[in-house]
Amino acid sequence: MATSTTSTPARDLRQWLARLGDSDRLAVTRENVPLEHQLAAIAKRLDGSKAAWFPKPGGHAIPVVSGFMSRRSWIAEAMGVPESGLLEAYRRAAENPLPCEEVAADDAPCQQVVHMEIDLQRLLPIPTHSEHDNGAYITAGMVIARNPVTGVQNVSINRIQVHAKDRMAILILPRHLFSYWQAAEAAGQALPVAVVIGADPLTLLASQAVVPIDHDEMEIAGALHGRPLRVVKCKTNDVRVPADAEIVIEGRLLPNVRELEGPFGEFPKYYSAQEKREVIQVDAVTHRKSPIYHTIVPAEMEHLLLGAIPREATLLAHLQRSFPGVKDVHLSVGGVARYHLHVKFDKRREGEPKNVMMCAFAGHYDVKQVIVVDTDVDVHDPQQVEWAVATRFQADRDLMVVAGAQGSVLDPSTTVGQDGPNGEPAPPYCQGISAKMGLDATKPVAYHGHVFTKVRVPGEESVDLAREVVAGARIDWNNPGA
Ligand code: MN
């Protein structure tokens, strides 16, 4: 679909879905699609072409939607910018947050219906996604918590497994939520949280901003919207949630409680192992009248892009601080939109690409491979990047390898064997210990003749095929020249 530079950002999820529906980008399924596997299978088949809408999934009254931000161009459209301006617009918002606007409960659609008697799977249509997943998972829940000391909020998306009517286990990686949680648990206290399902695209994108701790991601959501995000205080705790969201689960992370969670199919298209995780005790569920439930099918484009775009914006800003010659970056889809970074760089002096690589590895621990290319290569086109590696890179000269750094714990190739206490070999497991590989696929600054000049044919971009090609022309193969 064409990206309009004049479109206004979608205010809430419904407005965005209506826009997709009006432009033939929302596929509506039959009723009663099973919540176990079948719903995710259909969404996966539609991934990147249409969002999927499931009325009465598994007979449940609440519809499910998936894949409504599965293209870069759609995300740019939701932000109201051209695709080429996506990273710059995101960066501007991340650097200029807008404080939220608190509204009263009766002005908050997300609290139109309040449930205090909790049976999660009766209340919500929570799908089971991948083959070896250990049951139903909330995959598009924005987890909001407050710093127990300062009250500043944090937003992140964490996978959450439903364990009982009112209990869920959650994966908390060692980032901001983890810090808040550690402080609470060290004091022997529960950490109040809210899990928000059915937010608008911009609030979801803001939740993935790579900003320092105690920077409220909802203020970035406000900046992306161009007006403060409306928030409301939860019914059972002090957490503030987006007032225009569809569904909110209120609860507490319980101190000194762990339960087994997993396996679960994650973004690298592999399963995380079953391990003991933190537990949320659910106190209330609130939602709009006739709410919409959002599920992200793991490892599909919606999942990959949600992580990639904020990371690209942050990595671009990070690199440009030291290297103004960096023009664009892209986390390739094949590199699960997290591990492989392509950098477009205007090289002025030999050796600079290696400095750029080191800066990129320091920018995010997930980055495992960096390919630096010249400005005549489109970093979004894997074929062009491979061409640059094929013709401007020599492994003995242009390859940089750093051994034993920290990488993604979800990358199965970081698996190591660990011996037991008596030296007995234990099964290998994922530790995140990762090598970093940098490829300098730039041409020399100076060279003779046209050794490194990319071949082009004069007129190839400007030729008018409608004028040059004769429609319906036939050739007499007995006399081809006639
Ligand atoms: Mn944060």
Side-chain angles (χ1 to χ4, degrees):
M1 290 295 141
T3 299
S4 163
T5 51
T6 55
S7 66
T8 50
R11 271 182 55 183
D12 59 17
L13 178 59
R14 290 159 184 233
Q15 204 178 68
W16 175 244
L17 295 177
R19 193 187 296 182
L20 291 181
D22 290 344
S23 49
D24 195 26
R25 290 180 282 176
L26 184 72
V28 179
T29 71
R30 65 177 172 90
E31 291 183 356
N32 274 310
V33 167
L35 285 166
E36 189 170 336
H37 303 312
Q38 184 71 4
L39 181 147
I42 294 168
K44 185 168 178 171
R45 286 287 289 276
L46 289 163
D47 185 50
S49 61
K50 287 188 180 185
W53 176 269
F54 301 90
K56 297 196 170 49
H60 206 288
I62 298 177
V64 173
V65 70
S66 186
F68 57 77
M69 36 197 323
S70 59
R71 282 195 187 200
R72 291 180 83 86
S73 60
W74 296 7
I75 292 173
E77 183 184 339
M79 284 170 62
V81 298
E83 197 175 330
S84 59
L86 193 53
L87 300 187
E88 186 49 43
Y90 191 88
R91 172 188 184 172
R92 220 180 307 122
E95 289 173 355
N96 299 282
L98 270 185
C100 297
E101 176 196 342
E102 188 154 345
V103 301
D106 56 9
D107 197 20
C110 73
Q111 293 184 342
Q112 283 166 345
V113 180
V114 178
H115 298 276
M116 302 299 287
E117 189 122 323
I118 308 302
D119 181 345
L120 287 166
Q121 282 180 303
R122 195 179 54 78
L123 288 174
L124 302 173
I126 308 173
T128 298
H129 301 87
S130 305
E131 186 181 8
H132 298 298
D133 282 3
N134 185 17
Y137 268 84
I138 296 168
T139 57
M142 294 194 315
V143 179
I144 307 179
R146 297 167 79 76
N147 181 327
V149 179
T150 65
V152 176
Q153 296 210 139
N154 189 73
V155 190
S156 57
I157 297 178
N158 305 62
R159 69 172 194 244
I160 298 172
Q161 183 180 8
V162 178
H163 270 196
K165 284 182 175 179
D166 60 355
R167 276 161 89 91
M168 322 186 285
I170 175 172
L171 171 68
I172 308 177
L173 292 174
R175 294 197 279 250
H176 305 159
L177 174 61
F178 185 74
S179 297
Y180 293 1
W181 162 236
Q182 262 191 326
E185 190 176 42
Q189 285 166 358
L191 182 73
V193 294
V195 180
V196 176
I197 301 164
D200 68 275
L202 302 190
T203 303
L204 280 163
L205 266 185
S207 77
Q208 299 305 294
V210 188
V211 288
I213 193 164
D214 289 334
H215 285 231
D216 185 346
E217 286 82 0
M218 289 203 291
E219 298 191 351
I220 298 172
L224 285 171
H225 279 106
R227 52 174 223 170
L229 192 73
R230 287 160 26 89
V231 297
V232 66
K233 187 180 119 29
C234 283
K235 291 290 180 190
T236 61
N237 61 42
D238 285 337
V239 175
R240 267 61 170 186
V241 293
D244 296 299
E246 296 288 334
I247 298 163
V248 180
I249 302 172
E250 302 181 4
R252 290 161 288 140
L253 272 164
L254 299 178
N256 309 313
V257 178
R258 299 292 187 275
E259 290 178 5
L260 285 173
E261 177 267 349
F264 177 74
E266 265 286 359
F267 72 81
K269 304 183 199 289
Y270 292 97
Y271 292 91
S272 288
Q274 187 172 62
E275 285 181 52
K276 286 196 163 180
R277 306 286 187 202
E278 284 76 5
V279 171
I280 297 173
Q281 177 71 45
V282 179
D283 297 316
V285 172
T286 74
H287 58 74
R288 284 179 177 240
K289 286 176 198 151
S290 190
I292 301 166
Y293 183 94
H294 176 208
T295 200
I296 292 173
V297 180
E300 295 309 296
M301 284 311 294
E302 185 167 54
H303 191 185
L304 298 182
L305 287 175
L306 249 177
I309 287 163
R311 280 160 197 249
E312 287 175 354
T314 307
L315 283 164
L316 181 61
H318 170 73
L319 289 171
Q320 286 178 335
R321 229 165 271 142
S322 305
F323 305 99
V326 170
K327 300 302 177 193
D328 198 5
V329 298
H330 179 55
L331 287 161
S332 67
V333 174
V336 296
R338 305 283 193 283
Y339 298 167
H340 290 179
L341 184 75
H342 301 163
V343 181
K344 180 188 277 202
F345 182 52
D346 184 7
K347 182 171 82 168
R348 295 299 167 90
R349 293 190 297 162
E350 295 304 337
E352 282 179 331
K354 286 189 176 150
N355 300 63
V356 170
M357 290 168 198
M358 291 188 277
C359 190
F361 292 136
H364 199 291
Y365 60 82
D366 275 352
V367 176
K368 182 182 185 186
Q369 178 184 303
V370 175
I371 303 178
V372 182
V373 297
D374 295 297
T375 53
D376 60 350
V377 176
D378 179 0
V379 288
H380 294 270
D381 180 349
Q383 204 165 322
Q384 288 195 36
V385 173
E386 187 179 4
W387 169 81
V389 172
T391 60
R392 295 176 178 177
F393 166 85
Q394 284 296 323
D396 59 342
R397 183 189 65 204
D398 302 318
L399 176 68
M400 184 173 78
V401 176
V402 176
Q406 187 55 231
S408 163
V409 293
L410 296 179
D411 170 2
S413 70
T414 67
T415 295
V416 292
Q418 196 187 46
D419 291 344
N422 304 314
E424 73 275 18
Y429 74 109
C430 238
Q431 266 202 336
I433 305 294
S434 178
K436 308 290 181 184
M437 176 164 76
L439 289 80
D440 175 358
T442 60
K443 58 191 177 185
V445 174
Y447 52 88
H448 286 293
H450 292 299
V451 180
F452 281 103
T453 307
K454 190 177 184 179
V455 171
R456 68 177 279 275
V457 176
E460 68 180 33
E461 304 93 352
S462 60
V463 79
D464 180 3
L465 283 181
R467 217 190 91 186
E468 306 291 349
V469 176
V470 179
R474 291 188 160 255
I475 296 165
D476 176 0
W477 294 109
N478 294 316
N479 187 8

